[in-house]
Each structure stands twice: as structure tokens, then as C-alpha cells.
Amino acid sequence: MSADGLPERFDVMVYPAAELRGELRAQPSKNYTTRYLLAAALAEGETRVVGVATSEDAGAMLRCLADWGAGVELVGDDAVIRGFGAHPAAGVTLNPGNAGAVARFLMGVAALTTGTTFVTDYPNSLGKRPQGDLLDALERLGARVSSDAGKLPISLSGPVRGGPVEVSAERSSQYASALMFLAPLLPGGLDLRLTGDIKSHAPLRQTLDTLAAFGVQASASDALSRISIPGGQRYRAGRVLVPGDYPGSAALLAAAATRPGVLRLSNLREHDLQGEREAVDVLRQMGADITREGDTLTVRGGLPLTAVTRDGDGFTDAVQALSAAAAAASGTTTWENVYTLRLKECDRISDTRAELERLGLSTSETEDSLTITGTERVAGGVTVNGHGDHRMIMLLTLLGLRAEAPIRITGAHHIRKSYPQFFRHLEALGAKFEYLPTDAH
Ligand SMILES: O=C(O)C1=C[C@@H](OP(=O)(O)O)[C@@H](O)[C@H](O)C1
Ligand SMILES: C=C(OP(=O)(O)O)C(=O)O
């Protein structure tokens, strides 16, 4: 058993839910938790990060920061961090688990050390994701780098001075964010030029927002192709409050939109830089009844939904949750400009298609798009593969809730990467699950 009362590794049996009804508070944001914890460690002095996420990715960041010499204490729902400033310990091996953003942000900061090694115990997931664009930029800045053809394990050593540097932003925004965290602590700062067709602008703005919250000066062009961060600055320790999480909440909103019942979901700021906030507009455009009162959204579910065609790059981490709505909508939905989904915990285009087709849906793909034709009936009664991907597990769960017979999702414990309370939250709304222990990783 794990601390959350669920087996350490499990498949989940998802039972059809006649309705979903109740009130929930959105979990803390993954992207702000990782950013605030890192910025707190890069400050000198003590920072209280109020209301941190309890996911594996948050745990990975806390563990790596402690291994680098930060003081890390959990006090209730908060993390109190005593920072190492510009001096993470040298000669340390860090294991960021399966957390892409954590791994990449820390690789950028590793240029402050005279040697850090990165390994992962997820060779088939994070171990396969590309790191070369970041490593190339760090090498251009003068860091020494060794890697397994641009993948983990990776060793990096500085010091670097800073100055102008190019970084490709067409496969992930996390490489540029990594350099942005590093920049203020370098003597020469960084004058970043983001090259290629820049993807995931929203997380870049979350990084700028985090720097500002810690008193770091930065300036960026409107399209974010130039980001200048003067050197010789300090991160200012203090107190920051983690907002609610839109990517995980998008799954609850889509669940509520595709079943009868009413969900009230609080702790979701209206003005927020998380791109997945757009999931609310997408669901509304599909015909869902969603109203807002302050930070609380109310979904009145069970209305007929219709297909949409949307550029998904603004809300990458909600595309799978919204695919559950697409699977319930009349017509054919296409998510365009989502090539980067292929480079996540699994190939979120091809692998998603495979699982949707197993459930009887018709789908198609191009290199950078995913198309799903909705269906009124999902028969269920099958086993589907979670692909070790929390967002795939969310999508498949939503399909199970409206299937006619239960479905089994393999490796459902990977939900803990970003949303450990996901099944518990749905149970609170009336859903029923069975947790079947498994030995599979
Ligand atoms: O900066 C971040 O915290 C993130 C950026 C996004 O990745 P990409 O920039 O690779 O799309 C997002 O998918 C990921 O979950 C978190
Ligand atoms: C892709 C994700 O995370 P990361 O890139 O940080 O592993 C995600 O949360 O969906």
C-alpha cells in the first residue's frame, strides 16, 4: 500500500457512472509548484511555497533540490525551502524520476556547478525524450556535456559566463525555460533567441511570471522570440502561493461535461497564465454549460456536444482530457499543431489513437494533428493500456465512466505523476473504481 491508501502499482477498473455530482477544490498547479520550488532553491534565505502539489513530479523536484543542498521541509501543505542561491553542490547525481520539466530546468541550472549527473529510473519514458536542443545551447555557452546521443543519462559541468545564445523552441518550451532560470545567476546573464516555430508559449510566460515573483528582472519580445535576462541578479526569498491546476482540472471539467450531473470546481483563477485554462472555452464551444463565479466553475453536464477544430498548442496538457469530450461529441474533432504531444510521456498522438480505436472510436493522425470522430455508445468491456502516461490514464478513465461495461486501464498508478487524487476526486463525485494490484512497472 502507498500513503494514499492505493496499492503501490495497480490497474484500475472503471465502472460506468450514471452521473457525476458534487464540489471539489482544484489541486495545486504542477507547473507553478515545480517553478516556485526551484526559484526558492535559487534564492538565498528561506521561502515558503504555500500549498504545493503532492504529485510525483513535485516530489522529484523536492528530492533533487535537497540532493543539491537545499533545506527542504514540508509543513502542512507548504514547503519551506532554504535556498543554495547560485551554489548547488557539485558532484551530485540527480534522479528527476519521470518529470520532464523538472529534469530540464535542473539541467539548465547544472551549468552553475562543476559537475552534475542526471539519471532516470524511467528509461522507457523520460529516458526516450529528447534533450539535445538544451544540451546544444549549454555547450554553445561553454558547458561540458556528455549524453547518450542527446538523451539521459547526461553529465553537465560549468561554469559558464553567459551572453547571447540561441535555443530551439520547436520541440519543447522547457529548454528555454531552463536557460531562463539559469540566466540571472550568471555573470553575463543571457540574451536568448528562441529559434524554430516556437511551441508552448504559455509555460514560457509562467517562467517569466515566476522570475518576477522572485524579484528577477527580465524582458521579452511579444512573440517571445527574444528574452533578455541581465546577469548578476539574485532570486529574492519570500512567500509564494501556488494557484490551482488547470491541466488536471480540465479532466474533471471534461468528465462533468460528458456525464449528467453538476460539478462545482473551486480554486481556478480567471486570470491565469496556464494555457490549459482555454479548456473551458473549448468545452463551451463544444456546447458544454460552464459558468464562472470568481474562482469557481460550475459544469452542468450531459448536454449534447459537437465537434471542433482547434489549434491545441496553447493547451497541450489538456488535449487528452478534451479528447474525451471529442469522443462524446457529434462530428469529427481535430487538434491541430500538436506535434510536441509525440514527445511526452508516450506518443500522445499515435498511442492515444491506438487506445481510442481499441474502445471502438475512429481516429486518424498526421505528423502534427490528431482527429477523433465522436460516438454516442462506448461498449467497454475491454482492457486498455495507460502507456505509463498520467494524461492517457485520465482520458481513458473518462471514456470508462460513460462506457456500457467496465474497462480496465493498465498501470493506472502512473496517475500519481501529476494528479495523485484523481480517482479519489472522481469517487467524491459518485464514480466507482476498483484498484487491482499489479507487478508491472
Ligand atoms: O514548462 C512546463 O512546466 C511544462 C511545459 C510543457 O511542455 P512543452 O514545452 O514540452 O510542451 C508542458 O507540456 C509540461 O507538462 C510542463
Ligand atoms: C508532459 C508533461 O509533463 P513533463 O513534460 O513535465 O514530463 C505533462 O504534465 O503532461
Side-chain angles (χ1 to χ4, degrees):
M1 267 312 156
S2 278
D4 57 12
L6 301 179
E8 194 182 331
R9 293 176 188 172
F10 62 89
D11 292 352
V12 70
M13 193 69 93
V14 183
Y15 289 87
E19 66 163 30
L20 296 174
R21 186 177 295 278
E23 293 187 16
L24 290 170
R25 180 178 167 82
Q27 68 165 1
S29 155
K30 163 181 174 275
N31 294 4
Y32 274 102
T33 295
T34 51
R35 283 168 170 71
Y36 285 172
L37 292 174
L38 175 58
L42 295 171
E44 284 159 27
E46 204 170 271
T47 295
R48 191 172 189 109
V49 185
V50 177
V52 285
T54 55
S55 58
E56 287 175 349
D57 283 13
M61 182 60 100
L62 287 168
R63 192 176 60 241
C64 292
L65 295 175
D67 289 347
W68 248 350
V72 169
E73 201 189 339
L74 291 175
V75 183
D77 294 338
D78 305 346
V80 178
I81 307 292
R82 211 170 358 85
F84 43 64
H87 305 287
V92 175
T93 295
L94 299 180
N95 182 345
N98 202 22
V102 173
R104 285 145 174 183
F105 297 171
L106 295 175
M107 282 183 217
V109 172
L112 294 172
T113 73
T114 49
T116 305
T117 297
F118 291 87
V119 297
T120 177
D121 39 16
Y122 289 82
N124 295 321
S125 188
L126 186 58
K128 287 193 174 152
R129 295 173 70 182
Q131 316 297 346
D133 293 332
L134 174 58
L135 302 182
D136 288 350
L138 288 166
E139 266 187 327
R140 282 195 285 271
L141 284 167
R144 277 182 297 124
V145 174
S146 71
S147 74
D148 180 5
K151 307 219 162 116
L152 290 164
I154 287 168
S155 292
L156 282 159
S157 73
V160 302
R161 232 206 84 70
V165 72
E166 289 189 354
V167 60
S168 167
E170 62 185 350
R171 274 169 284 270
S172 171
S173 67
Q174 293 172 1
Y175 311 132
S177 281
L179 297 172
M180 289 160 72
F181 282 113
L182 167 69
L185 298 177
L186 297 179
L190 288 176
D191 196 356
L192 293 171
R193 204 162 75 78
L194 275 59
T195 62
D197 182 11
I198 301 173
K199 299 292 195 248
S200 290
H201 289 76
L204 292 169
R205 296 195 195 284
Q206 290 161 45
T207 304
L208 285 167
D209 190 37
T210 300
L211 295 178
F214 283 78
V216 170
Q217 306 287 323
S219 60
S221 63
D222 289 348
L224 298 182
S225 54
R226 296 297 291 260
I227 299 175
S228 293
I229 304 177
Q233 304 191 62
R234 286 175 180 218
Y235 285 79
R236 194 175 56 215
R239 183 186 164 92
V240 282
L241 182 69
V242 179
D245 186 67
Y246 271 99
S249 297
L252 293 183
L253 298 173
T258 52
R259 297 312 298 140
V262 181
L263 166 66
R264 276 172 63 81
L265 185 56
S266 64
N267 193 33
L268 289 171
R269 308 188 292 206
E270 182 168 11
H271 302 289
D272 191 292
L273 295 173
Q274 295 169 71
E276 289 75 12
R277 198 170 61 94
E278 209 179 323
V280 177
D281 297 327
V282 177
L283 287 168
R284 280 183 180 143
Q285 191 191 345
M286 294 177 101
D289 177 356
I290 307 183
T291 51
R292 177 184 282 280
E293 241 177 292
D295 287 354
T296 299
L297 292 169
T298 300
V299 187
R300 289 182 180 77
L303 293 182
L305 301 180
T306 49
V308 292
T309 294
R310 296 280 294 233
D311 181 327
D313 185 54
F315 49 89
T316 29
D317 286 353
V319 167
Q320 284 186 304
L322 293 170
S323 294
S330 62
T332 297
T333 289
T334 297
W335 309 121
E336 296 175 333
N337 191 22
V338 290
Y339 171 76
T340 60
L341 289 186
R342 294 190 185 278
L343 307 174
K344 308 280 183 182
E345 285 79 335
C346 68
D347 178 335
R348 289 184 181 163
I349 296 181
S350 296
D351 293 338
T352 299
R353 278 191 66 205
E355 299 317 311
L356 290 178
E357 298 218 335
R358 223 192 280 265
L359 285 162
L361 283 122
S362 45
T363 65
S364 63
E365 69 186 277
T366 66
E367 188 67 0
D368 71 348
S369 73
L370 170 62
T371 293
I372 299 164
T373 300
T375 169
E376 248 172 64
R377 276 194 62 223
V378 176
V382 294
T383 297
V384 287
N385 184 342
H387 290 269
D389 181 348
H390 52 137
R391 304 215 188 271
M392 176 78 88
I393 295 162
M394 292 180 213
L395 160 62
L396 297 174
T397 300
L398 268 46
L399 284 157
L401 292 175
R402 73 176 191 91
E404 287 163 13
I407 67 164
R408 180 176 181 143
I409 306 172
T410 60
H413 52 282
H414 289 293
I415 197 72
R416 295 190 183 109
K417 181 181 191 286
S418 74
Y419 198 165
Q421 294 289 312
F422 179 67
F423 296 117
R424 297 304 194 200
H425 277 178
L426 286 169
E427 281 173 351
L429 302 179
K432 192 170 154 256
F433 302 108
E434 198 182 342
Y435 305 98
L436 308 162
T438 161
D439 288 335
H441 196 67

